[in-house]
Amino acid sequence: MHVVSVNQDPGIDPGRKKGAAVHLEAMRTAFSQLGCEVTAIDQPDPLRLQERLRLVARRQAIDLVYERYSLGSATAARFARENGIPHALEVNAPLAGEQERWRGLAENARDRAEDAIAFGSAGYIAAVSSEVAAYARSRGAHTGSVFVCPNGIDTGLFGPAADGRRLPPLPVPEGAFVLGFHGRERPWHGFDMLVAATQTLLQERLPAHLLVIGEGDFAPLSGLPDGNYTRLPWVAHEEIPALLRHYDAIPLTYPKDAPCYFSPLKLAEAMACGAVPVVPDLGDLPTIVSHGRNGLVYAAGQLGALVDALRSLIKQPSLKSALAAAAAESALAQGWDRIALRILDHFGLTLQRPAESVR
């Protein structure tokens, strides 16, 4: 089975630290672990991409073109259609809307026309959320080709057990209840609300400690006593699991008006490591986190509701333990290999050897 993985976005080349690059490399690894031969093509230039695809096809027949969506790029879609090759499109965000919202660039006719080809010809569109699925349909995708596929995790790397290794020592007080943040600080993360919740818990003399891993100014941390937070820089992806296992809970504090099309990779990874998710009732989050079963859901933007949820976890250790176990179980069922296998099955592509890595 020969899968060609196409990426035209130069900002997410494999090896970069950002989550998008992790996702790209993870899917390539997943196809490979299932027994596929994977050819990776990272080429933003359409003409060079076209030539590379032709060269690869001359050397070996291609069974599937798996492409990460890039706004206004239909080169891989045209190639697959012209050569009768199944084409799958991975869509992680409504890029036309993002471009206008965050870069102030209005969409042009060429991008829309190219997207109509890419979305209209793809036989499988993996959208990370319901809102992204709606975006795909608005760009020309056929309804029967669109599937909601939340981001997965590397089940061999992330999990609640420490795999026999000692956790790295951190300046976290004994008996502290650790609230976690992981990633790059962005305006839509609502980091100030997370700090405010920590402050409230501390005022109630509850043992809250905020552990922050990532990049950003994190200016609101100055409002916390030095002994009640730990700030760590961005670390390599393979080093993250040992740090995430320190988390007791991972509260997401997106504001009420935040875009709801995301599928936070950091959420699934922390859940797999035994952190209880505490999420706002936005987008698909209440479907990923079932209130009272594998986490807690609170009213978006309501500081009091967030504090109530966290307080209940601190004061009820048995509730925290039960939710943590259920969170890990649900996250570990969402491996990248399962997503890859569903795509192959959709096209009737039979693996040459058993998919031993699929759990």
Side-chain angles (χ1 to χ4, degrees), residues 227-239:
N228 293 109
Y229 74 89
T230 300
R231 180 179 172 182
L232 301 177
W234 195 280
V235 300
H237 192 239
E238 60 271 15
E239 297 176 27

Side-chain angles (χ1 to χ4, degrees), residues 248-271:
D248 289 298
I250 178 165
L252 300 188
T253 48
Y254 302 117
K256 190 173 183 179
D257 61 350
C260 304
Y261 55 79
F262 37 75
S263 174
L265 183 58
K266 61 187 176 185
L267 177 64
E269 291 176 343
M271 288 172 64

Side-chain angles (χ1 to χ4, degrees), residues 1-352:
M1 190 72 61
H2 183 203
V3 175
V4 173
S5 172
V6 176
N7 163 45
Q8 288 197 259
D9 188 339
I12 57 172
D13 282 346
R16 296 192 64 171
K17 296 179 181 178
K18 61 196 300 185
V22 171
H23 187 167
L24 178 66
E25 186 61 30
M27 283 302 295
R28 290 172 174 176
T29 299
F31 280 117
S32 179
Q33 289 176 339
L34 290 173
C36 300
E37 180 176 346
V38 179
T39 298
I41 303 179
D42 298 287
Q43 178 53 258
D45 182 82
L47 293 178
R48 292 181 179 178
L49 172 59
Q50 183 181 56
E51 181 55 35
R52 180 72 191 282
L53 286 167
R54 289 173 176 170
L55 178 61
V56 170
R58 284 198 294 268
R59 292 176 176 172
Q60 182 180 357
I62 300 172
D63 297 291
L64 173 67
V65 172
Y66 183 80
E67 178 184 12
R68 185 184 180 94
Y69 168 52
S70 182
L71 181 63
S73 301
T75 301
R78 285 192 179 92
F79 172 82
R81 185 174 62 184
E82 291 168 1
N83 291 275
I85 301 171
H87 175 222
L89 190 64
E90 168 194 297
V91 188
N92 295 273
L95 296 184
E98 279 196 339
Q99 176 178 265
E100 184 172 359
R101 180 179 180 125
W102 303 113
R103 301 178 189 171
L105 300 175
E107 182 184 11
N108 58 61
R110 180 194 171 278
D111 284 349
R112 178 164 283 280
E114 288 290 287
D115 272 13
I117 295 171
F119 282 93
S121 64
Y124 191 106
I125 296 174
V128 296
S129 68
S130 299
E131 189 165 325
V132 170
Y135 171 81
R137 291 188 289 269
S138 75
R139 305 298 283 184
H142 302 291
T143 299
S145 299
V146 180
F147 301 87
V148 176
C149 299
N151 280 329
I153 63 166
D154 181 344
T155 55
L157 186 61
F158 293 90
D163 298 329
R165 295 169 295 177
R166 295 186 62 186
L167 295 179
L170 292 177
V172 176
E174 184 73 24
F177 188 93
V178 179
L179 309 176
F181 177 93
H182 169 221
R184 287 182 172 86
E185 185 184 14
R186 292 288 186 262
W188 56 86
H189 286 155
F191 185 71
D192 55 344
M193 183 175 173
L194 178 56
V195 171
T198 307
Q199 289 173 322
T200 302
L201 294 170
L202 290 173
Q203 289 167 2
E204 296 178 6
R205 299 187 180 279
L206 294 174
H209 189 94
L210 184 54
L211 173 55
V212 177
I213 307 168
E215 291 183 354
D217 291 334
F218 300 111
L221 285 175
S222 62
L224 292 176
D226 288 344
N228 293 109
Y229 74 89
T230 300
R231 180 179 172 182
L232 301 177
W234 195 280
V235 300
H237 192 239
E238 60 271 15
E239 297 176 27
I240 286 294
L243 296 174
L244 295 185
R245 293 186 186 106
H246 284 280
Y247 289 5
D248 289 298
I250 178 165
L252 300 188
T253 48
Y254 302 117
K256 190 173 183 179
D257 61 350
C260 304
Y261 55 79
F262 37 75
S263 174
L265 183 58
K266 61 187 176 185
L267 177 64
E269 291 176 343
M271 288 172 64
C273 290
V276 177
V278 181
V279 302
D281 55 353
L282 294 173
D284 288 351
L285 289 175
T287 64
I288 296 170
V289 178
S290 178
H291 183 73
R293 189 187 68 81
N294 66 343
L296 298 176
V297 180
Y298 69 95
Q302 298 296 313
L303 175 61
L306 172 61
V307 171
D308 287 346
L310 295 174
R311 184 191 300 114
S312 69
L313 294 176
I314 297 173
K315 289 191 171 184
Q316 301 178 62
S318 60
L319 173 64
K320 182 260 182 182
S321 297
L323 294 179
E329 182 179 3
S330 59
L332 289 169
Q334 300 300 319
W336 295 111
D337 46 8
R338 288 178 177 263
I339 298 173
L341 187 60
R342 285 199 297 269
I343 294 168
L344 294 175
D345 286 345
H346 176 80
F347 291 111
L349 298 173
T350 304
L351 294 165
Q352 295 180 355

